[in-house]
Amino acid sequence: MATGRPATIYDVAALAKLSIATVSRVLQGTGPVSEKARARVGQAAAELNYVPLRAARSLAVQRHEAHGLVLPDLSGPFYGDLLMGYERWAGEHGQSVVLTVTHGNADPRRTVRDLAGRVDGIVVHGNALDLGTIQELRKAGVPLVLVAHPPVTGCDSVRTESLSSAEKLTGRLLDAGRKNLVFVGDPASSYDVSERYAGFAKAHESRGEVAPEPIRVELTEVAGRGVAEDMLQGDRPGGLVCANDELGLAVLTTLRGGGIDVPKDVVVTGWDDVMAARYVSPGLSTVRQPMAELGQLAAQRLHERVTGERTRARNDVLATELVLRDSCGTSGAEEQ
């Protein structure tokens, strides 16, 4: 049913063989609609790559002057700097930001399709959306920027470097004589975490060792505390390389509360360099990500695509920096 123009609600109604009123109720979530009708509308909209108000975005005079920012969650200390960087750049360039969180959302696909009709383009962070939904938005002509996500054809992507820094950090611990290191965090949870574990494994492999399987937990304070409590009751590894600072801080404080000397008995590292990492005792060794810069760059890249300043997709990778503090036991200086 390709016509060379964006699909409209009339096209959806025709393909679904339903009235405009019924299709409208399904798309807007208003009024009683049967599950059968809802399924037919959903299938027709997917086949047509229909996005509400898509046609309006094609006219520069009708641009919304708004960006959509889709995040998986807002909990923990990670997102603050990213949001501040994004908001600052967008505000300076006259763009408002519409924020959507998909964690706990019963139908994130529908929510984001609706969002696409109210903004000029969308930034998606990590695993906030599945690949199928991302591809659907791209085919519908929605300008997209992916943050902390593997590159997707036709979309801009912005991320920070992970593999090399994780390899360097792990290698430093191994070369300092630390044995039985364990990676804490689930590589399947995000692209960044998978890259960090890959760097962890590569450091072992380059020294003729086999990296152990990771402790697959969520990147939360509660999960970190649970890992440490298990260690207090059982076998204790020589070090924990945590996928983020939230895990690292929870592990460190729980171990110390249980009488374990960090770093003498166990070394602990994190990732992100959140503010608390420099104020705990001992200071948490970590990897600093330029989160504010990441947010600013994502906003800039989306603006370039929305305005037509740039039409070809690009992939940006920002450098990260090892920050060695006392928790890793390999540096006498606060930072190096």
Side-chain angles (χ1 to χ4, degrees):
M1 194 171 175
T3 62
R5 59 171 174 76
T8 69
I9 191 173
Y10 301 98
D11 298 322
V12 176
L15 184 58
K17 297 181 179 179
L18 294 168
S19 69
I20 295 293
T22 299
V23 173
S24 178
R25 285 199 299 272
V26 171
L27 295 175
Q28 296 181 32
T30 59
V33 180
S34 70
E35 287 303 316
K36 184 177 180 180
R38 194 181 308 279
R40 286 165 60 181
V41 171
Q43 182 177 350
E47 289 182 18
L48 294 169
N49 290 317
Y50 170 75
V51 175
L53 300 185
R54 169 65 184 89
R57 277 201 312 277
S58 66
L59 302 177
V61 295
Q62 294 186 22
R63 284 217 310 266
H64 301 285
E65 303 299 338
H67 291 181
L69 182 55
V70 182
L71 302 177
D73 208 336
L74 283 177
S75 62
F78 173 80
Y79 295 105
D81 287 346
L82 177 75
L83 286 169
M84 287 178 62
Y86 198 102
E87 285 274 9
R88 183 178 299 118
W89 196 97
E92 290 173 353
H93 293 79
Q95 306 296 311
S96 59
V97 180
V98 181
L99 178 64
T100 294
V101 176
T102 59
H103 179 72
N105 187 322
D107 193 353
R109 180 180 179 185
R110 177 178 174 180
T111 299
V112 173
R113 287 171 65 87
D114 176 66
L115 173 67
R118 298 184 285 120
V119 297
D120 299 312
I122 294 177
V123 171
V124 180
H125 185 279
N127 59 356
L129 294 177
D130 62 80
L131 183 58
T133 301
I134 290 172
Q135 295 283 22
E136 178 183 308
L137 292 169
R138 183 185 66 80
K139 290 176 182 177
V142 179
L144 290 174
V145 176
L146 308 179
V147 178
H149 190 286
V152 172
T153 301
C155 303
D156 289 299
S157 68
V158 180
R159 60 185 175 89
T160 57
E161 188 281 319
S162 287
L163 191 150
S164 178
S165 292
E167 181 183 5
K168 290 177 183 176
L169 177 61
T170 306
R172 187 177 183 98
L173 300 178
L174 293 171
D175 292 344
R178 295 291 179 169
K179 303 295 184 182
N180 192 22
L181 300 179
V182 178
F183 185 90
V184 183
D186 187 357
S189 65
S190 74
Y191 180 65
D192 279 353
V193 177
S194 70
E195 289 284 280
R196 291 165 199 170
Y197 179 68
F200 174 86
K202 188 175 180 181
H204 282 79
E205 292 164 5
S206 66
R207 289 161 177 79
E209 301 181 22
V210 177
E213 283 294 305
I215 299 177
R216 299 178 185 273
V217 295
E218 295 183 351
L219 276 61
T220 65
E221 178 186 356
V222 171
R225 191 163 56 245
V227 168
E229 289 171 349
D230 289 343
M231 288 176 54
L232 292 172
Q233 301 299 321
D235 294 335
R236 191 168 65 236
L240 298 176
V241 177
C242 298
N244 73 350
D245 284 349
E246 194 168 351
L247 283 171
L249 290 166
V251 165
L252 188 154
T253 55
T254 303
L255 289 178
R256 283 178 57 82
I260 303 299
D261 188 312
V262 179
K264 182 179 178 181
D265 298 330
V266 180
V267 297
V268 178
T269 68
W271 197 287
D272 289 332
D273 196 28
V274 300
M275 184 179 296
R278 68 200 71 164
Y279 293 118
V280 294
S281 179
L284 181 66
S285 293
T286 185
V287 176
R288 178 178 296 149
Q289 295 196 86
M291 296 309 301
E293 291 84 349
L294 191 68
Q296 291 170 0
L297 185 59
Q300 179 183 344
R301 293 290 178 255
L302 185 59
H303 184 68
E304 291 169 356
R305 292 301 291 270
V306 167
T307 60
E309 179 180 337
R310 179 173 49 81
T311 57
R312 297 187 62 181
R314 59 178 293 168
N315 301 315
D316 293 287
V317 181
L318 301 184
T320 54
E321 175 188 359
L322 266 63
V323 181
L324 302 177
R325 301 190 176 103
D326 290 342
S327 73
C328 70
T330 67
S331 174
E334 171 68 10
E335 299 190 13
Q336 182 170 320

